[in-house]
Amino acid sequence: MLLLLLLQIWASCLWLGHSEVVTSFESSCPQFFFRETPPNEALEPENPAWICQRYKNQYYFATLYDRNRRIPVYSAYLYQPAPGKRPKTWLVEPQLMGPTYPKTMEREWTLLNHFSVSLEQLSKSQAILQDYKNLTGLNRGHLNPSSHHPDSNSRTATFTLTNIVPQDEKLNGGAWNNYEQQMMIRRTQGCNTTYVIVGAVPGNNYIAKGRVNKPSHIWSGICCEVDTNHRKAWAVIAENDKNEVELLTLGELEDVLTDLYGRDQVSLFDSACPRE
């Protein structure tokens, strides 16, 4: 009996953090999108994965992941900044290997040692820590930053490699950091609920011997509900080799992304969010 009880406790501990690979955001975690409306299909990659990022039995954000390029297309979340420590542990997503694996945000070490997963097996489905070692001029750039979340669990949830792209280190620590830490504070004054989508446009270059795409641009679109009748919106975009961030209207960003992707017209939010 004691052994059975210990096994049950161990199993419950392993299942504290979940990340669900789902069929659609609308049916599983729509709360991270204004009026529960995700971006349209114009951004979808050839081999997508829809991830409801869940940790300790709570959803914290949503990520559309590009399995082939091993980077996120975008992450969507609610802006709720608060002071707190930056996490240090990086997590990966076992479910990207297949539905039979745990829905658990886990450390690589845990998967390799407790779930009989090989590093080669894990690396076929997503980026791994080795991919981001010994980078020159680049670092691990969050799309959804930990500082935009209110507590330890929500910040830890952002430290999954499915929320990371190779980002120019000067941009990441300079103009983009200024957008995340200063511009967002100023522009969200008076907002009751702020919906954010941060994305990365695939580029022509790769790191890790061609495994992980280096985006050409990093962008963000924001839709703020002031009250039930008033909303405001804005957007930013940055080339991923320059320390500059350009401020745009939401409509301008959607048009720029439409040109960069070369597909149908991009729509990031429900039409009730102002484009001008």
Side-chain angles (χ1 to χ4, degrees):
M1 283 295 294
L2 179 59
L3 178 60
L4 180 61
L5 179 62
L6 289 172
L7 286 172
Q8 288 174 334
I9 293 172
W10 178 75
S12 67
C13 288
L14 288 176
W15 280 79
L16 278 175
H18 297 67
S19 266
E20 289 191 59
V21 176
V22 299
T23 55
S24 77
F25 292 137
E26 292 96 329
S27 63
S28 302
C29 53
Q31 64 268 35
F32 302 111
F33 303 93
F34 173 62
R35 293 196 171 178
E36 301 190 345
T37 304
N40 66 349
E41 296 178 356
L43 297 178
E44 285 184 15
E46 184 179 324
N47 190 7
W50 292 265
I51 306 172
C52 291
Q53 306 277 16
R54 183 171 163 183
Y55 182 70
K56 293 191 176 179
N57 296 320
Q58 183 173 338
Y59 291 129
Y60 287 108
F61 64 106
T63 299
L64 177 60
Y65 192 70
D66 186 335
R67 295 174 182 265
N68 291 350
R69 296 184 178 94
R70 297 184 179 87
I71 58 170
V73 178
Y74 62 74
S75 286
Y77 61 96
L78 299 177
Y79 176 70
Q80 298 172 309
K85 292 183 179 179
R86 178 182 169 90
K88 296 180 179 178
T89 300
W90 289 96
L91 306 169
V92 291
E93 309 290 358
Q95 276 238 306
L96 288 175
M97 292 184 290
T100 58
Y101 291 95
K103 299 177 181 180
T104 310
M105 268 191 199
E106 280 291 0
R107 293 183 301 158
E108 282 183 14
W109 185 90
T110 303
L111 289 175
L112 300 181
N113 289 276
H114 292 292
F115 290 94
S116 300
V117 172
S118 70
L119 198 58
E120 181 183 3
Q121 193 178 2
L122 180 64
S123 69
K124 287 179 180 177
S125 65
Q126 60 200 281
I128 58 174
L129 287 170
Q130 182 63 38
D131 294 328
Y132 283 90
K133 288 185 177 178
N134 304 316
L135 294 180
T136 302
L138 298 168
N139 52 29
R140 287 174 281 204
H142 282 76
L143 294 191
N144 175 4
S146 64
S147 61
H148 285 187
H149 294 271
D151 54 44
S152 176
N153 286 343
S154 56
R155 288 190 288 269
T156 298
T158 68
F159 269 65
T160 165
L161 293 183
T162 55
N163 180 44
I164 300 299
V165 298
Q167 187 172 12
D168 181 271
E169 63 181 0
K170 291 181 179 177
L171 174 63
N172 193 21
W176 194 259
N177 183 67
N178 182 65
Y179 146 71
E180 290 178 338
Q181 308 304 331
Q182 299 180 38
M183 184 190 296
M184 283 294 289
I185 291 174
R186 292 195 305 269
R187 288 195 155 261
T188 54
Q189 295 300 312
C191 296
N192 274 327
T193 307
T194 302
Y195 297 88
V196 185
I197 301 175
V198 184
V201 180
N204 296 321
N205 298 311
Y206 284 76
I207 65 166
K209 298 180 180 178
R211 282 180 37 80
V212 179
N213 186 265
K214 177 196 169 188
S216 63
H217 296 75
I218 314 293
W219 55 267
S220 180
I222 300 92
C223 185
C224 146
E225 286 190 302
V226 178
D227 54 43
T228 53
N229 298 315
H230 298 90
R231 288 167 289 278
K232 60 182 181 178
W234 64 94
V236 295
I237 192 166
E239 293 182 51
N240 196 21
D241 57 2
K242 297 178 181 176
N243 187 19
E244 299 174 9
V245 170
E246 183 181 2
L247 179 64
L248 304 170
T249 66
L250 177 58
E252 287 172 339
L253 175 63
E254 290 177 332
D255 288 343
V256 169
L257 293 178
T258 300
D259 289 340
L260 288 171
Y261 277 86
R263 303 183 205 160
D264 296 335
Q265 175 66 38
V266 171
S267 176
L268 297 177
F269 293 100
D270 179 88
S271 59
C273 195
R275 263 53 186 183
E276 299 301 323

